[in-house]
Amino acid sequence: MVNVEELHVVLQQSFSPDAAVRQPAEASIRNLKHVPGSVPALLRVASEKQVRFEVRQAAAIQIKNICRECWTPRHPYPYSLAATDGETAGESIETIPGVANQQSSVPQLPVLSDADKAEIKNGLIHALLDEPEKSVRDLFAECLHTMVVHEFPTKWPDLIPTLLNTIREGVPAMDHPQQQQLAGLKVHNALLALRKVCKRYEYKSKDQRGPLNEIVTASFPMLLPLGQRLVQQNSLESAMMLKQILKIFWSSTQFYLPGAEPSDDQNADGNGANSGIGLARPDILQPWFDILTAALKKNLPEASTGLEPKGQPTDVDARNSWPWWKVKKWSVQIMSRMFSRYGFTSYADDVTSKEFAKYFASVVAPQFLGPVFETLNLRPTGQFCTDRVVHLCLTFVTSAVELSATYKLLKPHLEFLVFQVCFPVLCLSPADVECFENDPIEFVHKQNSPLADFYDPRLSAVTLVKDLVNQRGQDVTQNLLARMTEILHRYNNSPVEQKNHVEKDGALLTFGSLAKPLLATPKYATEIEGLLITSVFPDFNSPIAFLRYRACWMVQQFSAVTWTDDGTNLKKLLEFVLSRLSDPALPVQIEASKALRFLIEADGADEALLPVLPQLLTEYFRIMNEIGNDEVVSALQVLLEKFGEHIEPHAVQLVTQLSQAFEQYCTAGDDQDDDDAALAAAQCLECIATVLKGVCSQESMLKKLEPLLLPLVLKILGDDGDFIEYLECALDILTFLTYFQGQLSQQLWQCFPLIYVAFDQWAYDYLNMMVPCLQSYISKSPQVFLTGAATLPEATISYVNLIISMVTKTITNDRASEMECRYALSLFMCILHNCPNQVDVYLPFFNEISLGKLGQQISAKQALTRISVYQVLGSALYYNPALQLMEMEKRAVTGQVFMKWLQDVEAMEKWLPRKMTTLGIGSIFKLPTQSMPQSIVSILPQLLHTAVRVALMMKNESQKKASDGLDEDEEGDAATGGEDVGDIDAGFGEDVDVTNAADDAYRKALMGTSDWDDDMAKFLMGDWDEDAEDVDEEYESPLDAIDEVIFVSDTLKQAFTQEPGPYQQIQAALPPESVQAVQQLFITADNLRAQASQQATQQS
């Protein structure tokens, strides 16, 4: 038992400024996960209200961490190899050949006992329900979520009844003044816990949402009247509880409506085992819509008025987090999601969904549109509204533009919507200007935030304006462009002191946001050149910094404009942008560096930029040293790609500075939680890869760059996953260093075991990116690979066994995708190809894993994974046909495997499986027929026919492709036209819904379209045919030099010569066309050999 008092003292000591006191306490705390009973003791400390808050919080943090790490067993090797030839089933990787210290004990990670778990579950719920402090309460809630993942529902059946009973008993008590505060706290915390449970299933597919459907059935009849009551009240406690109810509703409905149809076994009281409350029924869901409408309509007066709800803060940040504004945010977020997810009949996939969509479009959306417009009118009338609520309201209106029924309602208000709501949002606010001038780094971060789409009203206003122009252009376009042009003319004609710089910036932002449709429409495209010359060129030298910023931004939007002069304007534009690289304002420098990437491809840009390339690189690195911005680094990458042949003299300097920039950004992203710096750090690595691409043909240059890059790669691979966001780039760099060098240095081999450790411990999902460099290690230095070993904490393990371990873990893991399994299997193939006659001892493991996977996939509709297994089997047959057939015979699967293999030959479309089929089956004929198993002898005619037919087919296709001389990809690219944006002066009439191919595909995918015949839908939902991403086309091995026609011909000729009798019988069993094919094979092989001899003679 852990002494709670002593634990309390240790936690207090961890805050001591005296290192001699603090460090032993911290060590004791780190060891708590190994001490039975420690988490229940921590829970008693954390839930005791008399304990100092910081200590309670520290205890809660430890509970969260230990529960997350130690709730379920985690083993270093969570997989095993099946038994082979006398070995013990389930024998782990430590007992296969090449592993030293096989008897050493593998350290077991600590796991909480069942007794501790039971005590924690019971204690945590009570502690959470009674906790008034938000930070501690939130930590308890995170612990609950961890436990729900592993325990609910089967091991924690009383969780939901406990929470619902708390709500059921607490709601009446809230009416009694003496019990109100405590009862309200318990109800709120029970709702918080219920949300954590619902969130567990929020993103699950329909067939995995059973527990959530049951929760909805049990809880919603209770939550509905509570929500109706709370929305009419005015206390902050009411708002906090209502917010939790809305979040529960969100988690339960954002992807599927639970219980669309009541089940047949539903009891009369509605409590059937699988009963549903039918949320897709309008009569059930309408009361919830009424709550959402009332929440958005609720008036939130200023505190100075004294009106209810009282106490609205005056500070903007405090207002944003005020519970009643949070309630409004959730109400409009839910309705926006409902609109896009369920509001369009054309995307509904069954009768119930179509009926609900009709109801939503005709009743609910129009009903909610009024409160949305009232909310959007707050700012134009001088009242407050949070950015998030404005953003979500504009998102709702964007959906309303698409639907005919709602567009007709908002059409009379387009003037208000575009010019009183959207345009003021597009313009810089005083706070924006102040941030630009006094905190330029923060301004750049805000403008480039990857999350801005989810909260920035400016971006949602841009989206709405663009959709109005593209979809309802006849009602919007000409008036909008005329008003924006008027603003620009007024600015140009006004005295300096009267110029409205902010208004002009907003007009330019509007024009730039519409660049694509404007440039695609001839009558507008011809006007763009004049717009840039009269209203953008002057701003490059404007005294107003944010207009210089906007000018550089406009260049990016209109880089495709057609210049009608002799090239003077383009040259002038390049000069403007180059001059702004050294602008006094950092945001201008950033935009100028980004703008340059769009001008690089213009005619004449080479002549202007190449002479100043060294200075350009210097400017880019200077800007990069000031701020981490991924788009700046991306622009540098474009510059490097454009002038790749001129990079070599600068390669060492480039890589040195990019490596230093990576270290700087990486530290900022880690220490300061700077997302922009983290993105820029990743972009630096991509830039390094671009440099390597430019010099990869120069092995001497790679040797110079390797010492600069190896520490960077080792840092990313060897830091326990702390830099996992950069792993893909690091693996790309490592692939360059291993693939393009003939000999791999000893230093480069340091990365090999680290790849395994990363895969095993924290980067399992990166296997596909690890395979190319692993293949390079194996193929470039096979002897080092065969003799090398890694010293890991649990054992010394040979490199070969590390690969076997990686493949096994992938193949036996249920969550591995089939594409990942195919990549893993390619590693076995690589070993067999590059280590001839040296891996006999491992062949049983290759077979056990590969044939086991084949058994799983034997009935799969797609043959791709089976084909990958055949590639391994073909490689093993080529490696040693006798040994491989013996392995298959031991498992009594030879006949079945070959019959399925021969059937699947028709599904092989790529060269690698065909080649390995030909070489593998052809190798069987090297064996004397007396030594072949009977299961092979009986199908020798079919095997011979397949080997010959596939070899000839490959040769014919190769010759045809060479004679055609046409790359299919290039032909396809040439046939692909530009995007059709339509007539932006027309668009859809008000009586029709907007249709869009990409949106249609996305919604179809989201709704789970039954036949999945839409390629875009498959791609959007991750069901895309992964065949194109397999390794076949990129795979290289010593077997590439083997001509399959000559190989099969020579093998068969030798077999016929050595055993004429048996092969005459085989020939007699062949149909006439197969005999002709064999003769054609012999002739083709002789011709190929003669051509090769003639070419050798000519070259000599």
Side-chain angles (χ1 to χ4, degrees):
M1 282 292 294
V2 176
N3 186 298
V4 177
E5 292 297 329
E6 292 178 358
L7 179 60
H8 181 208
V9 171
V10 169
L11 289 166
Q12 283 183 315
Q13 290 174 340
S14 68
F15 291 93
S16 173
D18 185 351
V21 176
R22 184 183 68 255
Q23 291 175 356
E26 291 173 343
S28 298
I29 292 172
R30 284 193 297 270
N31 191 56
L32 285 174
K33 62 186 177 183
H34 299 281
V35 180
S38 62
V39 178
L42 283 166
L43 187 55
R44 285 192 285 275
V45 174
S47 58
E48 176 53 62
K49 309 300 186 296
Q50 303 303 316
V51 173
R52 182 174 142 206
F53 170 73
E54 290 81 2
V55 174
R56 295 180 58 218
Q57 188 177 49
I61 290 172
Q62 291 305 313
I63 296 170
K64 176 178 74 81
N65 293 340
I66 295 175
C67 286
R68 182 162 31 182
E69 184 178 348
C70 305
W71 197 270
T72 57
R74 296 193 302 165
H75 302 293
Y77 298 101
Y79 52 88
S80 62
L81 299 178
T84 59
D85 192 25
E87 293 165 353
T88 304
E91 190 174 19
S92 69
I93 195 72
E94 287 89 355
T95 62
I96 69 176
V99 182
N101 303 328
Q102 296 185 20
Q103 302 304 317
S104 64
S105 61
V106 177
Q108 296 296 313
L109 301 175
V111 180
L112 293 171
S113 68
D114 290 341
D116 276 0
K117 290 180 185 177
E119 187 174 353
I120 295 165
K121 287 191 292 187
N122 183 60
L124 183 82
I125 284 296
H126 290 93
L128 173 57
L129 293 176
D130 291 335
E131 183 53 54
E133 291 286 351
K134 183 180 185 305
S135 62
V136 176
R137 182 171 64 219
D138 289 346
L139 288 166
F140 286 163
E142 286 304 311
C143 297
L144 174 67
H145 183 264
T146 297
M147 292 186 285
V148 165
V149 168
H150 300 294
E151 302 285 311
F152 183 81
T154 54
K155 298 179 183 178
W156 205 354
D158 60 340
L159 173 60
I160 297 301
T162 299
L163 298 178
L164 296 185
N165 285 337
T166 301
I167 298 171
R168 185 179 296 110
E169 295 170 0
V171 169
M174 288 162 53
D175 293 329
H176 301 285
Q178 294 180 343
Q179 305 177 37
Q180 186 178 44
Q181 185 174 0
L182 181 59
L185 175 66
K186 282 182 173 289
V187 170
H188 172 271
N189 292 355
L191 292 169
L192 171 63
L194 187 60
R195 166 78 198 305
K196 289 296 180 182
V197 181
C198 293
K199 193 172 176 63
R200 165 79 174 94
Y201 300 95
E202 185 171 338
Y203 301 103
K204 296 290 185 182
S205 59
K206 273 185 179 180
D207 58 351
Q208 296 178 312
R209 291 167 64 92
L212 179 59
N213 294 338
E214 294 177 6
I215 292 171
V216 169
T217 299
S219 65
F220 272 40
M222 183 190 308
L223 298 182
L224 176 61
L226 179 57
Q228 291 169 327
R229 166 182 170 173
L230 294 171
V231 79
Q232 302 301 324
Q233 297 177 350
N234 294 307
S235 68
L236 291 184
E237 292 76 13
S238 297
M240 293 172 66
M241 286 185 276
L242 180 57
K243 181 186 74 170
Q244 292 300 335
I245 291 175
L246 296 185
K247 291 169 77 171
I248 292 169
F249 186 88
W250 166 265
S251 293
S252 303
T253 62
Q254 72 150 321
F255 282 109
Y256 301 101
L257 292 178
E261 294 290 344
S263 63
D264 294 335
D265 60 346
Q266 186 171 350
N267 301 326
D269 61 358
N271 292 321
N274 297 308
S275 62
I277 63 172
L279 284 188
R281 290 166 43 196
D283 60 314
I284 297 294
L285 209 48
Q286 182 58 51
W288 286 97
F289 293 144
D290 293 337
I291 292 175
L292 297 169
T293 303
L296 188 60
K297 291 178 66 175
K298 192 176 187 72
N299 183 40
L300 302 182
E302 296 292 332
S304 58
T305 65
L307 300 175
E308 295 283 0
K310 298 179 179 179
Q312 179 171 184
T314 56
D315 176 73
V316 172
D317 291 337
R319 287 191 193 223
N320 288 332
S321 59
W322 198 48
W324 280 115
W325 279 115
K326 289 287 188 181
V327 166
K328 284 184 178 285
K329 188 269 288 190
W330 278 104
S331 68
V332 69
Q333 179 172 315
I334 290 169
M335 289 302 286
S336 294
R337 177 61 175 168
M338 282 276 175
F339 203 161
S340 63
R341 181 75 174 87
Y342 308 110
F344 294 83
T345 56
S346 56
Y347 307 129
D349 62 344
D350 56 51
V351 174
T352 302
S353 299
K354 287 185 181 295
E355 290 300 318
F356 180 79
K358 289 179 182 177
Y359 178 79
F360 191 96
S362 61
V363 177
V364 180
Q367 170 193 8
F368 201 70
L369 194 61
V372 166
F373 268 74
E374 291 174 11
T375 304
L376 290 174
N377 192 42
L378 290 174
R379 289 188 176 182
T381 55
Q383 301 176 70
F384 176 80
C385 186
T386 67
D387 281 351
R388 191 78 172 93
V389 171
V390 172
H391 164 78
L392 290 166
C393 285
L394 291 174
T395 302
F396 184 90
V397 174
T398 299
S399 295
V401 169
E402 295 185 41
L403 198 64
S404 172
T406 45
Y407 180 69
K408 288 179 181 178
L409 294 176
L410 67 83
K411 181 179 176 181
H413 308 286
L414 285 174
E415 181 82 10
F416 161 78
L417 184 63
V418 174
F419 300 111
Q420 295 187 49
V421 176
C422 288
F423 186 70
V425 172
L426 294 177
C427 292
L428 293 172
S429 68
D432 292 329
V433 176
E434 193 275 336
C435 184
F436 184 101
E437 295 174 348
N438 298 320
D439 193 355
I441 291 179
E442 177 62 19
F443 180 87
V444 172
H445 286 170
K446 286 182 177 180
Q447 296 302 308
N448 295 279
S449 171
L451 300 177
D453 284 342
F454 301 100
Y455 67 80
D456 189 349
R458 183 171 289 115
L459 291 183
S460 56
V462 166
T463 300
L464 177 54
V465 170
K466 289 166 64 175
D467 284 358
L468 282 168
V469 168
N470 287 322
Q471 299 167 0
R472 309 290 185 179
Q474 72 275 19
D475 301 324
V476 178
T477 302
Q478 293 190 11
N479 185 30
L480 175 64
L481 296 181
R483 294 279 286 270
M484 297 302 105
T485 302
E486 179 187 348
I487 290 172
L488 296 180
H489 287 166
R490 184 166 61 245
Y491 182 90
N492 291 338
N493 297 326
S494 297
V496 173
E497 65 276 5
Q498 296 180 15
K499 289 182 184 293
N500 190 331
H501 309 301
V502 168
E503 188 181 51
K504 179 182 182 180
D505 179 81
L508 291 177
L509 175 59
T510 304
F511 274 116
S513 300
L514 299 173
K516 183 178 291 186
L518 291 176
L519 288 171
T521 307
K523 73 174 184 179
Y524 295 124
T526 56
E527 303 295 325
I528 298 301
E529 183 179 17
L531 170 71
L532 294 175
I533 293 171
T534 59
S535 295
V536 176
F537 278 23
D539 285 345
F540 280 104
N541 295 309
S542 171
I544 308 302
F546 64 75
L547 286 181
R548 301 196 300 273
Y549 167 91
R550 185 62 62 196
C552 295
W553 179 85
M554 287 287 284
V555 171
Q556 302 167 51
Q557 312 312 310
F558 289 106
S559 60
V561 66
T562 300
W563 299 98
T564 59
D565 65 341
D566 58 359
T568 301
N569 286 329
L570 176 59
K571 183 178 180 181
K572 187 181 298 183
L573 187 58
L574 277 166
E575 292 174 352
F576 283 143
V577 173
L578 289 172
S579 68
R580 290 304 106 207
L581 286 174
S582 54
D583 193 276
L586 179 62
V588 180
Q589 299 173 28
I590 300 292
E591 287 306 304
S593 63
K594 289 158 57 178
L596 198 57
R597 65 178 291 192
F598 293 92
L599 296 176
I600 286 174
E601 296 300 330
D603 292 337
D606 289 15
E607 292 80 359
L609 297 178
L610 189 56
V612 294
L613 182 60
Q615 295 91 319
L616 272 179
L617 296 177
T618 300
E619 284 297 313
Y620 270 95
F621 282 113
R622 182 189 57 76
I623 295 171
M624 288 165 56
N625 283 332
E626 291 194 42
I627 186 171
N629 184 277
D630 65 306
E631 291 194 56
V632 173
V633 189
S634 178
L636 173 61
Q637 186 175 357
V638 173
L639 193 69
L640 297 178
E641 289 172 349
K642 176 66 176 178
F643 299 108
E645 67 273 19
H646 304 283
I647 287 176
E648 188 174 342
H650 311 286
V652 173
Q653 179 190 7
L654 280 168
V655 169
T656 300
Q657 292 185 292
L658 285 166
S659 300
Q660 292 172 352
F662 169 78
E663 291 285 352
Q664 174 186 338
Y665 296 159
C666 187
T667 302
D670 189 42
D671 296 344
Q672 304 169 23
D673 198 22
D674 186 340
D675 291 336
D676 286 349
L679 289 170
Q683 200 69 50
C684 284
L685 298 182
E686 292 187 18
C687 258
I688 290 174
T690 301
V691 174
L692 293 175
K693 182 179 179 181
V695 301
C696 62
S697 61
Q698 305 294 324
E699 188 171 344
S700 59
M701 180 59 68
L702 290 177
K703 291 292 183 188
K704 294 179 183 177
L705 297 178
E706 181 184 311
L708 300 174
L709 296 174
L710 196 55
L712 181 151
V713 175
L714 290 171
K715 174 178 180 176
I716 295 170
L717 285 174
D719 225 336
D720 299 326
D722 289 346
F723 300 111
I724 190 172
E725 63 266 39
Y726 311 120
L727 181 59
E728 181 177 352
C729 298
L731 291 170
D732 284 342
I733 293 171
L734 188 57
T735 300
F736 272 107
L737 294 177
T738 54
Y739 182 85
F740 289 101
Q741 295 195 75
Q743 296 292 325
L744 304 187
S745 67
Q746 184 178 355
Q747 291 75 22
L748 207 50
W749 274 95
Q750 296 176 54
C751 299
F752 188 90
L754 294 180
I755 295 174
Y756 166 78
V757 173
F759 169 85
D760 186 63
Q761 296 183 7
W762 51 268
Y764 174 85
D765 295 325
Y766 287 77
L767 174 79
N768 296 1
M769 287 163 268
M770 296 174 177
V771 164
C773 52
L774 291 173
Q775 289 177 341
S776 294
Y777 275 113
I778 297 169
S779 62
K780 294 298 176 65
S781 303
Q783 291 308 310
V784 177
F785 170 70
L786 290 170
T787 58
T791 302
L792 304 179
E794 56 272 14
T796 298
I797 304 178
S798 72
Y799 288 166
V800 182
N801 287 330
L802 295 184
I803 296 295
I804 294 177
S805 173
M806 294 176 71
V807 178
T808 307
K809 182 174 181 178
T810 304
I811 296 298
T812 59
N813 194 317
D814 291 339
R815 72 184 183 95
S817 71
E818 291 307 313
M819 185 173 69
E820 288 172 330
C821 291
R822 297 196 289 273
Y823 267 82
L825 288 168
S826 73
L827 291 172
F828 283 172
M829 184 172 59
C830 184
I831 294 173
L832 290 166
H833 292 181
N834 290 280
C835 306
N837 304 316
Q838 300 176 84
V839 289
D840 291 10
V841 69
Y842 295 104
L843 210 57
F845 298 99
F846 294 175
N847 275 277
E848 194 66 27
I849 297 164
S850 302
L851 292 172
K853 186 62 181 177
L854 181 63
Q856 293 177 3
Q857 288 287 305
I858 201 70
S859 301
K861 183 179 179 181
Q862 290 277 357
L864 295 175
T865 302
R866 291 199 300 274
I867 289 172
S868 289
V869 174
Y870 301 145
Q871 291 175 176
V872 176
L873 299 180
S875 302
L877 285 167
Y878 182 83
Y879 171 86
N880 189 326
L883 188 57
Q884 174 59 20
L885 289 176
M886 184 177 69
E887 288 296 330
M888 297 175 74
E889 281 293 294
K890 283 194 301 187
R891 295 163 177 80
V893 297
T894 311
Q896 303 96 302
V897 168
F898 276 100
M899 291 308 297
K900 188 64 177 177
W901 192 346
L902 297 181
Q903 292 173 15
D904 284 335
V905 165
E906 300 302 324
M908 296 178 184
E909 299 178 354
K910 295 188 175 183
W911 73 269
L912 183 58
R914 290 177 176 179
K915 187 178 186 80
M916 295 322 306
T917 294
T918 304
L919 297 184
I921 293 177
S923 297
I924 295 174
F925 294 95
K926 290 184 173 183
L927 302 175
T929 53
Q930 297 89 344
S931 66
M932 294 181 186
Q934 183 57 39
S935 54
I936 289 293
V937 173
S938 63
I939 60 172
L940 278 176
Q942 295 97 309
L943 293 175
L944 187 150
H945 169 79
T946 298
V948 170
R949 183 173 66 86
V950 175
L952 286 174
M953 179 173 58
M954 292 179 67
K955 184 58 63 179
N956 291 336
E957 290 182 0
S958 175
Q959 292 174 346
K960 183 178 184 300
K961 186 175 181 180
S963 63
D964 289 346
L966 178 64
D967 187 292
E968 294 179 2
D969 292 335
E970 293 178 3
E971 183 182 46
D973 292 342
T976 303
E979 179 183 358
D980 180 15
V981 297
D983 185 355
I984 60 174
D985 284 333
F988 295 85
E990 66 176 30
D991 294 322
V992 296
D993 294 343
V994 173
T995 57
N996 174 279
D999 289 347
D1000 287 358
Y1002 178 73
R1003 289 193 176 98
K1004 283 168 64 180
L1006 212 55
M1007 296 301 293
T1009 307
S1010 57
D1011 58 3
W1012 285 95
D1013 59 351
D1014 188 318
D1015 284 344
M1016 186 178 292
K1018 294 179 185 179
F1019 174 76
L1020 289 167
M1021 294 306 288
D1023 198 51
W1024 185 252
D1025 181 1
E1026 298 167 333
D1027 187 23
E1029 298 183 42
D1030 279 353
V1031 296
D1032 296 3
E1033 303 301 337
E1034 302 171 358
Y1035 180 78
E1036 295 181 4
S1037 85
L1039 274 62
D1040 295 346
I1042 300 173
D1043 186 290
E1044 51 277 353
V1045 168
I1046 294 177
F1047 174 81
V1048 175
S1049 173
D1050 290 351
T1051 302
L1052 290 179
K1053 284 181 178 180
Q1054 184 177 9
F1056 273 91
T1057 301
Q1058 292 178 347
E1059 296 186 273
Y1063 277 94
Q1064 286 177 1
Q1065 297 177 10
I1066 294 172
Q1067 182 176 340
L1070 292 173
E1073 58 270 21
S1074 294
V1075 176
Q1076 293 175 5
V1078 173
Q1079 296 301 322
Q1080 181 61 47
L1081 179 84
F1082 291 158
I1083 294 171
T1084 303
D1086 291 341
N1087 291 337
L1088 290 171
R1089 189 173 277 111
Q1091 291 172 10
S1093 176
Q1094 183 179 3
Q1095 290 176 359
T1097 302
Q1098 292 174 350
Q1099 291 174 359
S1100 61

